[in-house]
Amino acid sequence: MAIYLDHAATTPMRPELIEGYLAQLQVVGNPSSVHGSGQKARRAVEDARDRLAVTLGCHRSEVLFTSGGTESNNLAIKGLFLQRFGEDPNRKMVITAGTEHHAGIDPVEWLESAEGAEAVWAPVDTMGVIDLDWLRDFLAKNAERVALISFMWVNNETGLVTPIAAITEMAGKYGIPVHSDAVAAFGHVPIIFKESGLATMAVSGHKLGAPVGVGALIAARAAKLAVTSHGGGQERGIRSGTLSSPLAYAFAEAAALAEAERDALHDRLESFKQQIVKAVLEIAPNANFTRGDKPGFAGIIHFTFPGCSGDSLLFLLDSAGVSVSTGSACRAGVAQASHVIMAMGRTEDEARGSLRISLGYTTTQSDVEGFITAFSGVYQRAVKAGLPSQ
Ligand SMILES: Cc1ncc(COP(=O)(O)O)c(C=O)c1O
């Protein structure tokens, strides 16, 4: 039987929302049209906005629907930078970390190459923990040159949780806006946007049981963002484009379900994580559990296996019916060593020995046992294969 342990890549659609989603698919009408059909679609979108605002602890006008996490990160990082840099050309620095998802790193690198930004890569330790003392000192010396700070809330490869409140408190002293990619966090760790101190935050539907293709940029009412995507002026003019009432409905429903189950899910996944970490370290005693004892989300379990290729493990597990991930970027079909693990100061060989097991709301005890059996069956074969030459 297939065992799916790649929930951080995408998680199955919640069965509870399918009936309502199908019903919404049959509503004809552009939510921006003034006639009755359009207004019916508009009502569904606005209901979804209200529900998401309650789930995320923000004002309804702060929820801007997008196509997902990538678009939300782009709108926020580019919008905040271009606004602040436009107001004061001294503010060209964007503080971020090499452990971010590409959807957070690549907009910053684009701003460097095209718009005169200066990326400042915050130091992180071998577990990926951001050096907050460095950040405090850096801000004390350079605050007037910083356009924005961008740190993800939960790391999608390692599960490490970032202390967002500590960061927004430091930045708030200087009026520096902070953006957070909360794609891996939403539905898994408590998020109350209005108490977070964030200016903007990116969330995505398909990581918590909505269909792929919907997300939101949560933008505080006080946040000033230059418009980087132009069109019909929907979503406060920041995200133009026709709104999808079925996707908005499904996102709000999935988010509410995930939030209602969050504590119970956490307890279940924590027990599964402990079983997996213990079993893997017994089968592969030289493996490193990446996060160690650092605060993390139970659903993401990351190991490096010295001298063993994560890709070999992935393919052998796949042929045993278990879907996991190496966590590495696979761009244009070419597997690459994880930039996240290398940004943590690990070598390329260590990064190539990565395996990410990610759990979700459908994970059962039998999935955990099936994974452990499959892993013990394939591990020695992966060790014998070693690391491929580069
Ligand atoms: C942390 C993080 N940010 C952003 C994204 C991109 O989100 P989306 O697939 O909704 O564009 C992902 C998805 O893998 C992610 O894990």
Side-chain angles (χ1 to χ4, degrees):
M1 209 186 74
I3 298 176
Y4 184 78
L5 297 178
D6 199 13
H7 291 261
T10 196
T11 205
M13 210 194 297
R14 298 247 171 195
E16 300 94 320
L17 62 79
I18 290 177
E19 200 184 323
Y21 178 53
L22 289 176
Q24 281 300 326
L25 284 172
Q26 291 166 56
V27 174
V28 182
N30 184 325
S32 297
S33 299
V34 289
H35 48 62
S37 306
Q39 289 314 297
K40 197 168 172 204
R42 167 62 66 179
R43 268 195 301 283
V45 170
E46 296 311 324
D47 281 355
R49 196 187 308 281
D50 284 338
R51 294 188 72 196
L52 265 177
V54 170
T55 307
L56 280 163
C58 64
H59 189 268
R60 62 186 318 283
S61 65
E62 294 173 327
V63 177
L64 311 180
F65 285 108
T66 66
S67 63
T70 303
E71 186 184 11
S72 303
N73 278 330
N74 272 271
L75 292 173
I77 293 169
K78 293 175 185 171
L80 287 172
F81 175 81
L82 292 172
Q83 180 70 34
R84 299 253 302 160
F85 184 58
E87 287 167 359
D88 177 355
N90 284 323
R91 289 187 202 131
K92 56 161 69 170
M93 292 177 166
V94 183
I95 303 177
T96 188
T99 45
E100 297 283 306
H101 189 278
H102 272 296
I105 290 182
D106 290 25
V108 175
E109 292 186 335
W110 179 82
L111 285 170
E112 264 201 311
S113 64
E115 296 290 342
E118 187 186 327
V120 178
W121 303 100
V124 301
D125 70 10
T126 54
M127 299 292 178
V129 178
I130 295 160
D131 185 340
L132 294 185
D133 291 334
W134 171 89
L135 183 62
R136 190 175 297 105
D137 288 352
F138 189 87
L139 291 179
K141 292 184 193 126
N142 301 287
E144 71 288 353
R145 293 161 63 208
V146 178
L148 74 136
I149 298 173
S150 171
F151 290 127
M152 69 203 309
W153 200 313
V154 168
N155 188 286
N156 59 298
E157 290 196 24
T158 66
L160 185 80
V161 178
T162 305
I164 292 295
I167 291 165
T168 55
E169 199 189 320
M170 280 183 213
K173 285 192 192 135
Y174 306 101
I176 298 171
V178 181
H179 168 70
S180 186
D181 173 344
V183 168
F186 187 25
H188 298 293
V189 299
I191 294 181
I192 303 174
F193 181 75
K194 62 173 176 269
E195 291 175 6
S196 70
L198 291 170
T200 53
M201 180 173 87
V203 289
S204 176
H206 72 105
K207 307 290 181 173
L208 43 71
V212 176
V214 62
L217 167 62
I218 311 301
R221 280 168 288 177
K224 290 210 259 169
L225 280 87
V227 175
T228 55
S229 175
H230 300 91
Q234 291 91 340
E235 305 300 86
R236 279 167 51 189
I238 293 169
R239 200 284 186 166
S240 285
T242 303
L243 289 158
S244 162
S245 58
L247 288 174
Y249 162 83
F251 186 19
E253 182 71 14
L257 288 164
E259 193 56 25
E261 291 169 10
R262 186 166 47 75
D263 287 344
L265 180 69
H266 172 82
D267 293 349
R268 214 164 73 233
L269 299 191
E270 184 61 37
S271 138
F272 293 161
K273 182 193 88 180
Q274 283 173 18
Q275 295 175 52
I276 289 175
V277 172
K278 181 167 175 287
V280 167
L281 293 176
E282 272 165 19
I283 297 161
N286 65 345
N288 299 305
F289 172 47
T290 301
R291 213 190 311 131
D293 58 2
K294 296 288 185 275
F297 154 51
I300 297 180
I301 308 163
H302 186 278
F303 293 98
T304 53
F305 297 93
C308 174
S309 148
D311 283 329
S312 303
L313 281 169
L314 186 152
F315 291 123
L316 288 164
L317 285 167
D318 191 32
S319 51
V322 181
S323 302
V324 291
S325 147
T326 57
S328 61
C330 182
R331 301 183 128 195
V334 181
Q336 296 173 342
S338 162
H339 72 279
V340 173
I341 305 305
M342 289 198 286
M344 288 158 50
R346 314 280 190 93
T347 63
E348 186 164 345
D349 277 355
E350 276 181 278
R352 281 148 69 88
S354 292
L355 196 71
R356 177 184 74 181
I357 302 120
S358 56
L359 319 176
Y361 78 98
T362 58
T363 307
T364 61
Q365 178 65 31
S366 122
D367 290 338
V368 173
E369 286 162 16
F371 165 78
I372 293 170
T373 307
F375 183 78
S376 77
V378 304
Y379 178 63
Q380 283 309 330
R381 281 164 63 200
V383 170
K384 278 206 194 91
L387 278 172
S389 52
Q390 293 165 37

